[in-house]
Amino acid sequence: MHGTSLPWLDPIIAHRGASGVAPENTLAAIRRAVELGAHWVEVDVRQTASGHLILMHDATLARTTNGRGKIAATPYEKIADLDAGGWFAPDFAGEPVPTLEAFVRLASKLDLCANIEIKTDPGDTDPGDTDPGEAEAVGRAVATLLRNQWPPNRPPPLLSSSSPEVLHGAAKMAANLPRGLVVRRVPSAAKLCEQARECVSIHVDHRFLTQAKTAHLIKNGYAILAYTVNRPARAKTLYAWGVAAIFIDYPEPERWR
Ligand code: G3P
Ligand code: MG
């Protein structure tokens, strides 16, 4: 697969929705992104103890909800009652944690394209790594849901993860959904070949991107998506290097193009 496999990619992707002005990974943040003019949104997905798939960045509930505990150890029935908006601003109090299904319905209604980032890391405070089998199972679960529920008349969502096992699991269930590898730094050629062989894109922390590294990745056929860019001058530099899209917390197109 190659970067050119994403002709519907927009240079601006609302990061976790319009997370600069609304609580990240909520439906309010998705709606706000569209109001600001975004055509693409990125959301983070995790699996709960009951197997449900929800929009959530962290491995734990504490930062973005009024709950406590690990997502992977909490059943969805408990998460469904939590407030995912009040921490951000009183106006958003009562905003629920969305399921992936609810996100798919809203994205379809709003004609949105999506990058769905699948998270399985246990969080910064947990010394253990996620079991590869579990990671693959989460990739399979997300891809299965999207295969069944993403509207066939819409451009398919771009699945991404920092876990090659997740991507492998997703590929098994929905080989036609494009996939991207999320990295902090640009990996060595050998690692890239091993972990991103079937990916169309590499999603890199922009602070570790250089013009030469960008050119190298493009030459190898990948679309480069850079996160998280909140300075227009930096965005212009990245586009000039050939970066295809940037993840932005404040996705007003006129600020960035
Ligand atoms: O997918 C790009 C970006 O969202 C990765 O970083 O931590 O914001 O999920 P993070
Ligand atoms: Mg993300």
Side-chain angles (χ1 to χ4, degrees):
M1 283 195 174
H2 293 281
T4 49
S5 311
L6 290 173
W8 62 96
L9 183 62
D10 191 86
I12 293 169
I13 304 174
H15 182 237
R16 309 180 196 174
S19 59
V21 294
E24 64 183 57
N25 287 317
T26 63
L27 298 188
I30 307 304
R31 289 192 196 94
R32 194 80 190 100
V34 173
E35 284 162 15
L36 290 173
H39 301 293
W40 268 72
V41 292
E42 182 256 10
V43 291
D44 304 294
V45 168
R46 285 187 183 270
Q47 192 169 44
T48 68
S50 50
H52 293 76
L53 297 164
I54 59 165
L55 267 50
M56 181 76 56
H57 178 274
D58 295 2
T60 53
L61 293 159
R63 183 178 63 85
T64 59
T65 76
N66 58 346
R68 291 283 179 278
K70 293 181 181 180
I71 318 298
T74 310
Y76 174 67
E77 300 78 74
K78 285 201 173 147
I79 295 174
D81 288 336
L82 298 177
D83 174 5
W87 69 274
F88 186 85
D91 279 357
F92 293 103
E95 189 66 33
V97 175
T99 59
L100 178 57
E101 285 173 286
F103 168 73
V104 169
R105 280 195 298 272
L106 182 63
S108 168
K109 194 172 143 197
L110 297 176
D111 278 342
L112 265 175
C113 296
N115 169 207
I116 295 171
E117 184 187 353
I118 308 165
K119 301 267 194 196
T120 54
D121 64 278
D124 291 343
T125 53
D126 195 321
D129 283 334
T130 305
D131 174 74
E134 279 174 34
E136 194 186 309
V138 176
R140 279 193 267 121
V142 173
T144 301
L145 187 148
L146 294 169
R147 188 185 66 192
N148 295 334
Q149 300 195 13
W150 190 266
N153 59 340
R154 302 275 314 139
L158 170 61
L159 302 188
S160 65
S161 184
S162 59
S163 159
E165 289 84 16
V166 164
L167 296 173
H168 187 63
K172 274 189 180 168
M173 301 314 291
N176 59 326
L177 294 181
R179 294 176 301 283
L181 180 70
V182 180
V183 294
R184 194 145 182 252
R185 297 166 186 272
V186 175
S188 67
K191 208 169 174 188
L192 202 62
C193 188
E194 177 197 322
Q195 299 191 339
R197 203 174 21 195
E198 293 195 322
C199 289
V200 297
S201 54
I202 308 291
H203 306 196
V204 193
D205 185 331
H206 81 94
R207 294 170 298 178
F208 299 105
L209 262 185
T210 62
Q211 187 165 16
K213 286 177 181 169
T214 305
H216 171 73
L217 290 172
I218 292 171
K219 205 174 134 204
N220 279 281
Y222 299 107
I224 313 308
L225 282 61
Y227 64 91
T228 303
V229 183
N230 283 319
R231 283 187 304 117
R234 180 63 174 164
K236 284 195 171 62
T237 301
L238 293 166
Y239 289 143
W241 292 350
V243 167
I246 53 176
F247 297 93
I248 303 171
D249 295 331
Y250 304 85
E252 309 95 322
E254 68 277 8
R255 265 176 79 172
W256 302 99
R257 292 197 205 266

